[in-house]
Amino acid sequence: MNTMPDFLHIDAQQRSVSLDARNPAFYGNPNATYALLHAHCPTFYWEEQKQWFFTGYDHVNALLRDRRFGRQILHIATREELGLPEPLEHTQHFDAAERHSLLEIEPPEHTRLRTLVNRAFVYRHVEKMKPEIETLAHGLIDRFEKDGQTELLSSFADIIPVTMIARMIGIPEEMGPQLLKWSHAYVGMYMFKRSREDELAADRAAKEFADYVRSVIAERRAEPKDDLLSHMIHTEHKGQFLTDDELISTTIVLLNAGHEATVHQIGNSVRVILESGLNPKSLFGDEKTTERTVEETLRIGAPVHIFQRWALEPVEIDGVTFERGDKVSLILAAANLDPLKYSDPLTFKPDRAEAPNLSFGAGIHFCIGAPLARLELNIVLPLLFQRLPHLKLARQPKVKDVYHFHGLERLDLTW
Ligand code: HEM
């Protein structure tokens, strides 16, 4: 059971691991590898990534909240001090778009920006979108129901999150396909082992994306509407407003984060449910059971596996010493499988009453879009299984080669 696959080498004594993240046998089923890491070496130095990684639930949970670590370090140290390379010329537009991204900043800038965005965000009351999500999902199923088969990502999962986040921000819906293209190219920068071509494509997408958002901001300044962008433009905190650059970064991060992860999660959730062999009727009996089912698919099929932090000061965690400027990686998807927290962790058990999953993070960077993502999943998953009660996998789904994201290339279904 615990035999080591040939793509993984664990030296438990040295807490060192060699693992090729581009090996399909790994990224096709990372949960199996995470189980081995929990068994042999939950805190380890990943040789290929040249960094320490944490998989234990308590460590990941604590590190996400630990203010001695941050998503950024250049607010307290210079590149020279840390020996960091100068920014690359060919990724300047990408870097500019990231400059004010909530995900890339720390207090006090983060506190100010997050408060302003949150104000505009809650103003819209995410729950108000429930009927719109239902109508959209029904409309998409209407299109393919009679066919007896579909590829669910392109016909359903890809469309719902981008449409909802675009509507919420106030970007015209016909921009949906273009937003998807920009976003796919943009997130190429977060992949392990990206190529120069990936970087150039991400930079081009960032420039086009930012130019487009700038033009919509100008329109909303002249003529505000009842959308998130107009609210962000006009929301103030202690007499301050968001600048255009902050608005652009925020809009881009909301659009990207607002759909990529949710698309993957819809696909992963449907797959997990179908492979479990459990009866969808009982999984989606009422709102409470639906919520438990959704949370369990988020636990076992999380769409984004790794988030990093910089050590902002010297600190020791689990016997590992970090200097200011060192990076650490937290494998959220592995923390969700910690045998110290979950019984039979690799099994889909929606009725488990154990630790909450960490798929949306924790602490000051906790996912701002979690209420929207949860709402979408709690509506579209039961609706899909009610409309198509005989849903089956047409073939074994293939996982995308984009680790550390975890999503499917295609999800072919029949009924
Ligand atoms: C299943 C879907 C989603 C998952 C699993 C997910 C996961 C996460 C995680 C783990 C973080 C924390 C990152 C860290 O601590 O370093 C995060 C942050 C964030 N997410 Fe999500 N997310 C999802 C959907 C969304 C949606 C729908 C939106 C937008 C509407 C969104 C917007 C954001 C933003 C803006 C942040 C940064 C917050 C901050 O740094 O203060 N996410 N997300």
Side-chain angles (χ1 to χ4, degrees):
M1 170 79 186
N2 257 0
T3 48
M4 215 51 79
D6 54 12
F7 58 81
L8 174 68
H9 180 79
I10 298 180
D11 180 340
Q13 203 96 47
Q14 297 295 322
R15 298 208 280 182
S16 137
V17 166
S18 169
L19 168 64
D20 175 8
R22 295 301 283 271
N23 188 321
F26 165 62
Y27 69 72
N29 180 17
N31 287 4
T33 296
Y34 297 155
L36 292 167
L37 291 167
H38 278 302
H40 298 284
C41 207
T43 297
F44 63 92
Y45 187 79
W46 188 334
E47 294 297 338
E48 287 80 353
Q49 308 303 330
K50 301 187 178 17
Q51 238 179 73
W52 282 90
F53 281 70
F54 290 85
T55 64
Y57 185 100
D58 286 340
H59 282 130
V60 171
N61 190 24
L63 278 159
L64 285 166
R65 299 163 193 272
D66 193 329
R67 303 297 299 281
R68 293 169 301 174
F69 291 85
R71 289 211 40 131
Q72 179 54 275
I73 189 153
L74 293 173
H75 59 308
I76 58 158
T78 61
R79 287 180 183 276
E80 299 77 63
E81 242 178 89
L82 301 167
L84 294 177
E86 285 305 306
L88 298 168
E89 183 67 25
H90 69 277
T91 59
Q92 53 169 309
H93 298 105
F94 178 86
D95 293 341
E98 293 278 281
R99 169 67 194 88
H100 302 284
S101 157
L102 277 176
L103 270 169
E104 302 303 328
I105 53 178
E106 283 297 304
E109 197 190 353
H110 178 266
T111 320
R112 175 182 156 268
L113 201 61
R114 180 141 176 155
T115 309
L116 280 164
V117 176
N118 244 341
R119 257 187 210 176
F121 217 77
V122 293
Y123 183 86
R124 291 282 297 168
H125 293 301
V126 170
E127 291 78 39
K128 278 203 313 205
M129 303 180 83
K130 196 173 171 198
E132 287 186 45
I133 301 171
E134 274 168 359
T135 309
L136 178 60
H138 273 300
L140 294 173
I141 299 170
D142 287 344
R143 286 197 213 161
F144 57 70
E145 186 180 17
K146 61 183 177 322
D147 301 340
Q149 60 173 26
T150 196
E151 193 289 291
L152 196 76
L153 297 185
S154 52
S155 65
F156 190 75
D158 259 351
I159 303 168
I160 292 169
V162 74
T163 310
M164 294 321 299
I165 191 68
R167 269 189 206 172
M168 200 168 166
I169 292 178
I171 305 276
E173 254 168 81
E174 53 277 17
M175 284 300 289
Q178 179 61 65
L179 293 177
L180 285 178
K181 279 187 207 150
W182 281 332
S183 175
H184 288 322
Y186 194 90
V187 299
M189 278 295 270
Y190 303 129
M191 270 185 336
F192 280 15
K193 284 201 186 171
R194 58 175 194 251
S195 64
R196 190 181 162 91
E197 281 65 42
D198 294 329
E199 293 178 350
L200 288 169
D203 199 61
R204 220 169 17 246
K207 178 170 186 327
E208 291 174 13
F209 211 159
D211 287 348
Y212 173 71
V213 173
R214 202 184 307 276
S215 70
V216 185
I217 290 172
E219 284 172 25
R220 292 298 183 281
R221 274 201 199 286
E223 207 181 313
K225 291 191 180 176
D226 183 20
D227 57 30
L228 187 60
L229 195 49
S230 304
H231 288 296
M232 289 198 298
I233 291 171
H234 295 101
T235 300
E236 65 148 302
H237 177 57
K238 295 183 183 158
Q240 284 188 317
F241 292 89
L242 294 171
T243 64
D244 271 17
D245 285 346
E246 288 172 337
L247 285 166
I248 290 169
S249 281
T250 306
T251 306
I252 291 181
V253 72
L254 285 174
L255 279 166
N256 282 338
H259 84 268
E260 285 281 339
T262 319
V263 170
H264 286 333
Q265 188 62 54
I266 293 174
N268 295 352
S269 296
V270 171
R271 177 194 186 173
V272 164
I273 290 166
L274 290 174
E275 286 182 346
S276 76
L278 297 175
N279 181 355
K281 266 198 186 141
S282 63
L283 294 177
F284 298 116
D286 56 27
E287 275 186 22
K288 191 77 222 155
T289 41
T290 297
E291 204 181 303
R292 283 169 161 243
T293 299
V294 168
E295 290 307 307
E296 180 66 350
T297 64
L298 277 159
R299 182 188 73 81
I300 204 167
V304 195
H305 283 199
I306 294 174
F307 287 90
Q308 295 187 328
R309 292 291 186 268
W310 295 93
L312 303 179
E313 55 185 83
V315 47
E316 189 190 311
I317 308 283
D318 195 18
V320 187
T321 311
F322 297 101
E323 296 303 327
R324 175 168 134 128
D326 285 345
K327 264 187 169 179
V328 302
S329 284
L330 320 174
I331 313 189
L332 274 50
N336 285 343
L337 304 175
D338 188 337
L340 297 175
K341 291 286 168 187
Y342 303 100
S343 54
D344 205 359
L346 295 197
T347 307
F348 174 67
K349 288 201 288 189
D351 55 353
R352 65 169 80 239
E354 294 169 324
N357 65 71
L358 291 178
S359 298
F360 291 109
I364 64 165
H365 290 285
F366 178 79
C367 178
I368 212 170
L372 175 62
R374 285 192 158 121
L375 185 73
E376 289 175 350
L377 293 163
N378 277 273
I379 293 173
V380 309
L381 292 173
L383 203 145
L384 187 71
F385 283 94
Q386 275 150 20
R387 290 280 308 266
L388 307 169
H390 304 295
L391 217 49
K392 284 198 300 284
L393 291 175
R395 60 185 63 85
Q396 176 71 14
K398 217 170 134 202
V399 175
K400 265 189 171 173
D401 177 13
V402 288
Y403 190 76
H404 64 99
F405 294 97
H406 183 73
L408 302 175
E409 213 149 276
R410 302 174 57 88
L411 183 55
D412 293 289
L413 303 175
T414 57
W415 50 91

